[in-house]
Amino acid sequence: MTAATFLSYLNIAGAEITLALSILFISVVDMFFGDRFKNFAYRASMFALVVVFAWLCLFGDSNSGFAFQDMFVSDHLSVILKQTMCVMSLLAMFYSRDYLKSRQLFKSEYYLLILYATLGIMIMISGHNLLSLYLGLELMSLSVYGLVAFNRDSPIAAEAAMKYFVLGAIASGTLLYGMSMLYGMTGSLDIATIATSVQQQGISSLPILFSLAFLIVGVAFKLGAVPFHMWIPDVYEGAPSPVTLFIGTAPKLAAYALTYRLLVDAMGDLHGQWTLILSILAVLSMLIGNLVAIVQNNVRRLLAYSTISHVGFILLGFIAGTQLGYEAALFYTVTYVVMAAGAFGIVVLLSRDQDTDQLAAFKGLNQRSPWLAFLMLCLMFGMAGVPPFVGFHAKLAVISAVLDAGHLWLGILAVLFSVIGAYYYLRVVWFMYFDEPETSLPLNIAWDHKATLSLNSISVLALGILPGAIWALVSLA
């Protein structure tokens, strides 16, 4: 490799290289001085993510192109997803600080695992080759398995991690089998070459259709779409609350990228074939997710089934199969992870002092902390799709996209399921404002925690009033 080639790679993949070097540096320093500088890993990890985010803002768009023999691509879509990814990782680290300290879990390994998962997701987002996509996926998955089992003294966490690992391994194997079939049929691992080969062979090639089926199963598992959703409620409930925050937000960005690279970029000519399958998955996800969420009394299981229903809405954008549809799906994904991060952040805060994740913990929250109750109200209204919160624009965008594409029945079902889903979000609001609190313990919230939560939650309202800011970014992807 010449110096010029290395510099070109550095320009295109500078964010990933910076993050990888940061992980190496933090690991070595922590190995020798971890006991003397207990906060080092936390502060250094936050700083590394800030540097990566700044790099993406300054050079991300101007350094678009391919690197590493076209295995890695940097485009506007990848820059948006990586910037959102950095913000989500920063929020996950910040919201978890007090929780981990209160349970003697404040260890450097936690932050290193989040950095490894972030690096894996960023590699997957920029994957332009089946190998780089799969390597990024595995780096993310292995790190997340470790995070779920981070509290080694908790049998629930161990059970959740084992279940996640076994089902995740099966899904990864299915995805890998689909990739290997695709490689066998096209003779290439490159996404662009595969797309050309699929176009030449057409939709009558039975082996390619088989590989498509295996790829969709793998993607559906990573998204958490019905009927590949069974791991989500158990993992969300069993993992430590801050870990639930991370796996409930960041991997959604990776799943969007994986779906886009495999289905749209590589197999776009088979849109008619995968649209039917995705339509079934979307309807089932919206139906099962919303109906089962209604009867949940555990807030983390409620948010888990809520996630499943939101996946159904994200799939609607892909089903449309138009540029507007892909932009709507990206808009929905980005706004959803922002709303979910705030909601899980409040759950982490409420379960910090008393180990409860029941919905009853929200009863009378307005009497204990009116401001925190208002922030949760913004998040619940946003996720329910109540105007003018940003969730309304996200739902409107994907429904408009499927209607424009001629899928009237999907649009009608989406509206119906949105109305059903509003019930359990408004139930949380009812608990906060119209029920008596079950405890009179004061909520002691650090000022920086309160400020971050406020910024996170108010942005749901602000972006709803001025959605053009996100649309302007998304439309460039």
Side-chain angles (χ1 to χ4, degrees):
M1 180 187 299
T2 64
T5 305
F6 176 76
L7 286 177
S8 68
Y9 289 174
L10 187 61
N11 285 332
I12 295 170
E16 285 77 7
I17 293 172
T18 302
L19 186 56
L21 291 175
S22 300
I23 292 172
L24 182 62
F25 174 73
I26 294 169
S27 300
V28 172
V29 173
D30 183 74
M31 186 185 303
F32 289 100
F33 303 104
D35 292 337
R36 294 170 59 187
F37 306 105
K38 291 184 178 179
N39 287 321
F40 171 76
Y42 168 68
R43 291 174 179 168
S45 301
M46 298 279 282
F47 180 74
L49 286 173
V50 169
V51 171
V52 171
F53 180 78
W55 193 97
L56 289 167
C57 291
L58 293 173
F59 309 112
D61 282 327
S62 58
N63 292 333
S64 298
F66 294 90
F68 306 111
Q69 287 77 45
D70 293 347
M71 293 178 69
F72 186 96
V73 61
S74 176
D75 51 17
H76 192 73
L77 171 64
S78 66
V79 172
I80 291 176
L81 289 173
K82 289 176 192 174
Q83 287 172 336
T84 312
M85 182 63 225
C86 288
V87 174
M88 288 303 108
S89 297
L90 280 167
L91 288 177
M93 288 183 179
F94 184 76
Y95 287 149
S96 62
R97 182 192 60 190
D98 293 344
Y99 180 97
L100 296 176
K101 283 184 175 178
S102 67
R103 283 165 174 73
Q104 309 302 316
L105 294 173
F106 190 73
K107 300 174 182 175
S108 57
E109 291 86 347
Y110 177 84
Y111 297 99
L112 284 170
L113 283 172
I114 287 188
L115 289 184
Y116 275 117
T118 304
L119 180 61
I121 291 172
M122 291 174 68
I123 292 173
M124 195 176 358
I125 287 172
S126 279
H128 194 256
N129 183 289
L130 298 184
L131 270 182
S132 53
L133 278 172
Y134 191 75
L135 286 174
L137 175 68
E138 285 305 293
L139 180 56
M140 176 199 75
S141 299
L142 293 174
S143 306
V144 172
Y145 300 150
L147 283 170
V148 174
F150 194 72
N151 186 2
R152 291 179 296 179
D153 296 329
S154 169
I156 299 177
E159 179 185 342
M162 182 57 70
K163 188 177 292 185
Y164 194 15
F165 173 74
V166 172
L167 294 176
I170 294 172
S172 294
T174 306
L175 184 69
L176 189 60
Y177 189 65
M179 287 179 171
S180 63
M181 288 182 70
L182 199 57
Y183 172 67
M185 290 301 300
T186 61
S188 176
L189 296 170
D190 181 71
I191 295 290
T193 308
I194 289 172
T196 304
S197 181
V198 168
Q199 186 180 29
Q200 292 171 348
Q201 297 188 41
I203 62 173
S204 58
S205 174
L206 196 58
I208 285 187
L209 292 178
F210 269 115
S211 68
L212 173 65
F214 281 104
L215 291 178
I216 289 178
V217 170
V219 168
F221 180 89
K222 296 305 176 187
L223 279 167
V226 176
F228 309 102
H229 68 290
M230 298 305 292
W231 59 276
I232 291 185
D234 293 339
V235 172
Y236 275 36
E237 185 181 9
S241 294
V243 175
T244 307
L245 187 160
F246 184 74
I247 61 178
T249 54
K252 290 289 180 294
L253 301 167
Y256 176 90
L258 185 67
T259 309
Y260 191 89
R261 301 293 185 205
L262 286 179
L263 297 187
V264 180
D265 280 351
M267 309 189 84
D269 284 326
L270 298 180
H271 176 258
Q273 278 62 43
W274 51 260
T275 289
L276 177 61
I277 304 174
L278 291 192
S279 298
I280 296 171
L281 297 180
V283 172
L284 288 176
S285 299
M286 291 187 289
L287 174 68
I288 303 295
N290 282 315
L291 289 183
V292 181
I294 289 174
V295 297
Q296 299 301 317
N297 289 317
N298 182 298
V299 66
R300 284 201 268 174
R301 293 187 75 87
L302 184 148
L303 290 174
Y305 283 104
S306 159
T307 291
I308 294 167
S309 72
H310 285 291
V311 165
F313 282 95
I314 293 172
L315 288 177
L316 291 181
F318 286 99
I319 292 166
T322 59
Q323 186 60 32
L324 177 64
Y326 302 139
E327 291 173 6
L330 178 58
F331 183 89
Y332 201 105
T333 305
V334 171
T335 54
Y336 169 72
V337 296
V338 172
M339 294 186 291
F344 279 116
I346 292 179
V347 172
V348 171
L349 180 64
L350 291 180
S351 60
R352 180 193 58 189
D353 299 324
Q354 46 182 347
D355 202 2
T356 177
D357 47 15
Q358 297 298 308
L359 270 177
F362 286 90
K363 287 185 175 179
L365 183 61
N366 183 51
Q367 297 179 35
R368 299 174 63 197
S369 175
W371 181 245
L372 194 63
F374 173 72
L375 297 180
M376 192 62 177
L377 179 143
C378 291
L379 295 163
M380 291 296 100
F381 277 7
M383 296 178 91
V386 176
F389 297 89
V390 72
F392 167 74
H393 297 283
K395 281 187 166 59
L396 182 64
V398 292
I399 292 173
S400 299
V402 290
L403 289 178
D404 287 345
H407 303 291
L408 179 62
W409 65 281
L410 271 176
I412 294 172
L413 286 177
V415 173
L416 176 64
F417 291 135
S418 295
V419 175
I420 295 174
Y423 171 80
Y424 53 85
Y425 294 119
L426 297 180
R427 187 174 169 222
V428 176
V429 176
W430 178 275
F431 280 167
M432 292 191 299
Y433 284 92
F434 299 104
D435 275 351
E436 293 296 321
E438 292 193 339
T439 175
S440 58
L441 290 174
L443 280 170
N444 298 316
I445 310 172
W447 70 268
D448 53 349
H449 204 142
K450 195 171 185 176
T452 307
L453 262 178
S454 301
L455 187 63
N456 189 169
S457 306
I458 295 298
S459 67
V460 175
L461 176 59
L463 293 173
I465 296 172
L466 300 168
I470 293 188
W471 265 118
L473 290 174
V474 165
S475 60
L476 295 174

